[in-house]
Amino acid sequence: MESRVMDVALLLLLVLGSAASAFRAPRRYSPDWPSVDSRPLPDWFDQAKVGVFVHWGVFSVPAWGSEWFWWRWKGQGAPEYVRFMSDHYPPGFSYADFGPQFTAHFFDPEAWADLFQASGAKYVVLTAKHHEGFTNWPSPVSWNWNSKDVGPHRDLVGELGTAIRKRNMRYGLYHSLFEWFHPLYLLDKKNGFKTQHFVTAKTMPELYDLVNRYKPDLIWSDGDWESPDTYWNSTDFLSWLYNDSPVKDEVVVNDRWGVNCSCQHGGYYNCEDRFKPSSLPDHKWEMCSTIDKRSWGYRRNMMMSDIADEAEIISELVQTVSLGGNYLLNIGPTKDGLIVPIFQERLLAVGKWLSISGEAVYASTPWRVQSEKNASVWYTSKGSVVYAIFLHWPENGVLNLQSPKTTSSAQITMLGIQKDLKWSTNPHDGLLIYLPQLPPSALPVEFAWTVKMTGVE
């Protein structure tokens, strides 16, 4: 009898041990969309809210038109690009000849990181490789077309990553799946993407190398629109990334992994450049926008009228966060590695605004109402606290809000000002908040002011 009791006890221990082990085992993701799409998005991304995007590469040398210079010139034969080259460069000058001129002479990763930190950004995304195929790190499969062999003779990805992480910001890498003129890609394209010469020899080796070498917090994929995800082996890569890579627990990816993936599959959604949903999406998303409205890369011929002003940028940021998105603001450095003063000024203006208003932005969640009908007041929340960010100062100094319902414990303040604000309600006008009567220079920010409300529903 005693022996049977011991056998039962031993069996019970084995069963319990097996169950505990199974409970502790990390989930494995299989290489298919239903599985990889089910992975929860790491919390850091939604809490970060604001990032800086950096488009930098050989396209920063001609610095004319846009970062799509090579394609416009040789792929499309656009007359203005052909004329630009004939006017400014000798006959026979090739795009590869721009490579040695991409010097990054003045690239100071510490200074860049200081600027990005001062902008209030919580993450930075650098172009590791754009569609031109030039890699900003010593890629083992991009011989003589990378920043170590040509031009800077430096590991730009590695240097910036080290500086960014010293400041406790997250580091992301943009990577284009395709390359406009790579012979293997053109061969696969000619074969109707039935072959994968380019994927096996170039794209996938580079993605695995970037992850293992730099351990990025974010992979911003692009260049996916000509071919299906099955050509790119996207789900194979993502299942490895989530299961076995050195960043499997923290890494975040976007949605550009093949034709019809955008806004459908991946981690968070970009959907399209400068995406602006009309209502609250049910999936985490990011708006990428650029200070120079006509280009993501630096242009020598940009005009002041092409530059987004401070109020425009902050308004875009506010609306994005109210609708549950992250805001990724782009700048393009020069071929020398300088960030021109107008871009610095815009980034610092965002940082100055966030130093006062960041409480309503970082780690916030969308409220039950995202905006007032006039679209000049946008809401965010944190727990029971509601923030109303108003883009226009009312002429009579009274802010009228229809959406919040006050309780007996309601308290209203303005971020950057210590004193409570007076308020009242009436059936027709809703909540009336009496704003501080101060000269503009005494207000905490120049535009997009925030009232903080507790005890409202």
Side-chain angles (χ1 to χ4, degrees):
M1 182 68 179
E2 185 179 341
S3 173
R4 288 183 62 191
V5 170
M6 288 184 66
D7 287 346
V8 170
L10 184 60
L11 181 62
L12 188 60
L13 283 170
L14 286 170
V15 169
L16 288 172
S18 175
S21 176
F23 182 78
R24 286 194 303 270
R27 179 177 173 185
R28 302 284 296 177
Y29 297 94
S30 55
D32 56 76
W33 285 123
S35 181
V36 295
D37 284 347
S38 71
R39 177 192 182 245
L41 194 73
D43 289 341
W44 75 260
F45 184 73
D46 183 49
Q47 292 173 4
K49 302 298 184 192
V50 183
V52 170
F53 211 176
V54 184
H55 273 68
W56 198 30
V58 171
F59 52 79
S60 308
V61 178
W64 191 87
S66 83
E67 72 287 350
W68 278 55
F69 185 94
W70 195 6
W71 179 254
R72 304 276 186 251
W73 173 33
K74 288 296 186 181
Q76 293 179 325
E80 63 271 31
Y81 286 79
V82 173
R83 188 165 56 250
F84 174 83
M85 288 305 298
S86 64
D87 287 350
H88 299 287
Y89 295 93
F93 192 96
S94 70
Y95 193 80
D97 293 326
F98 285 127
Q101 298 178 32
F102 178 48
T103 63
H105 275 321
F106 303 117
F107 171 49
D108 180 350
E110 298 291 332
W112 281 26
D114 280 342
L115 174 64
F116 300 154
Q117 185 177 41
S119 78
K122 299 300 182 184
Y123 63 106
V124 175
V125 180
L126 171 69
T127 45
K129 184 193 78 172
H130 201 258
H131 313 321
E132 65 188 11
F134 186 90
T135 68
N136 282 328
W137 87 99
S139 164
V141 290
S142 191
W143 180 80
N144 216 35
W145 195 232
N146 68 74
S147 64
K148 196 74 170 174
D149 292 345
V150 177
H153 300 290
R154 295 167 66 175
D155 178 359
L156 306 178
V157 169
E159 289 186 38
L160 183 60
T162 299
I164 292 295
R165 284 176 162 145
K166 272 189 207 170
R167 290 156 180 81
N168 294 317
M169 290 185 283
R170 298 280 184 164
Y171 189 43
L173 296 175
Y174 168 107
H175 173 268
S176 174
L177 295 173
F178 90 145
E179 296 174 21
W180 288 312
F181 301 111
H182 196 290
L184 292 179
Y185 181 73
L186 296 178
L187 176 61
D188 287 344
K189 190 174 180 178
K190 184 181 176 184
N191 294 336
F193 299 110
K194 299 290 192 296
T195 56
Q196 294 178 297
H197 303 298
F198 179 69
V199 176
T200 55
K202 190 72 161 60
T203 302
M204 281 302 147
E206 284 187 337
L207 274 172
Y208 282 93
D209 184 50
L210 282 171
V211 172
N212 286 317
R213 196 189 294 228
Y214 302 109
K215 302 174 179 56
D217 298 296
L218 188 155
I219 297 175
W220 213 101
S221 185
D222 197 14
D224 64 321
W225 57 83
E226 291 190 344
S227 41
D229 63 274
T230 49
Y231 167 73
W232 295 116
N233 293 340
S234 296
T235 54
D236 286 340
F237 171 72
L238 292 173
S239 63
W240 168 80
L241 188 70
Y242 296 164
N243 290 331
D244 302 310
S245 81
V247 290
K248 60 186 174 67
D249 297 323
E250 291 289 300
V251 72
V252 169
V253 304
N254 66 345
D255 57 353
R256 299 184 183 185
W257 297 98
V259 173
N260 298 326
C261 283
S262 183
C263 241
Q264 300 291 328
H265 296 299
Y268 67 87
Y269 294 166
N270 285 124
C271 297
E272 59 191 44
D273 293 349
R274 302 180 180 89
F275 175 61
K276 289 185 180 181
S278 56
S279 59
L280 180 66
D282 59 6
H283 191 95
K284 182 62 188 181
W285 63 285
E286 175 191 68
M287 181 196 189
C288 58
S289 190
T290 181
I291 295 175
D292 176 359
K293 300 177 196 175
R294 296 180 59 186
S295 178
W296 299 81
Y298 173 69
R299 292 185 304 136
R300 290 179 287 173
N301 60 325
M302 66 180 173
M303 304 294 288
M304 198 63 207
S305 57
D306 300 328
I307 304 297
D309 65 38
E310 296 167 11
E312 203 174 342
I313 292 167
I314 290 168
S315 172
E316 218 171 45
L317 187 163
V318 167
Q319 294 175 53
T320 298
V321 173
S322 292
L323 288 166
N326 277 23
Y327 187 65
L328 185 64
L329 182 61
N330 176 76
I331 53 107
T334 68
K335 65 178 182 179
D336 314 295
L338 295 174
I339 297 170
V340 293
I342 191 67
F343 292 162
Q344 293 186 44
E345 184 179 58
R346 293 295 184 266
L347 291 177
L348 292 171
V350 173
K352 181 181 176 183
W353 184 84
L354 284 167
S355 70
I356 299 294
S357 313
E359 179 186 332
V361 173
Y362 304 122
S364 66
T365 55
W367 192 44
R368 62 173 177 82
V369 175
Q370 285 74 61
S371 67
E372 292 290 344
K373 288 180 181 175
N374 60 11
S376 68
V377 179
W378 293 81
Y379 293 100
T380 64
S381 65
K382 276 185 190 173
S384 61
V385 179
V386 178
Y387 300 92
I389 306 171
F390 55 105
L391 305 179
H392 304 291
W393 191 276
E395 287 185 13
N396 63 357
V398 180
L399 180 64
N400 174 208
L401 302 179
Q402 295 289 338
S403 301
K405 308 303 176 192
T406 57
T407 67
S408 57
S409 61
Q411 187 175 17
I412 301 175
T413 57
M414 178 182 282
L415 294 187
I417 292 178
Q418 296 295 326
K419 291 166 52 175
D420 286 3
L421 300 181
K422 292 180 180 177
W423 56 271
S424 65
T425 61
N426 73 52
H428 301 293
D429 297 324
L431 174 60
L432 302 174
I433 301 172
Y434 303 96
L435 300 173
Q437 296 182 336
L438 295 170
S441 60
L443 291 171
V445 293
E446 294 175 44
F447 24 69
W449 305 268
T450 303
V451 291
K452 176 180 179 178
M453 299 177 283
T454 57
V456 301
E457 298 170 346

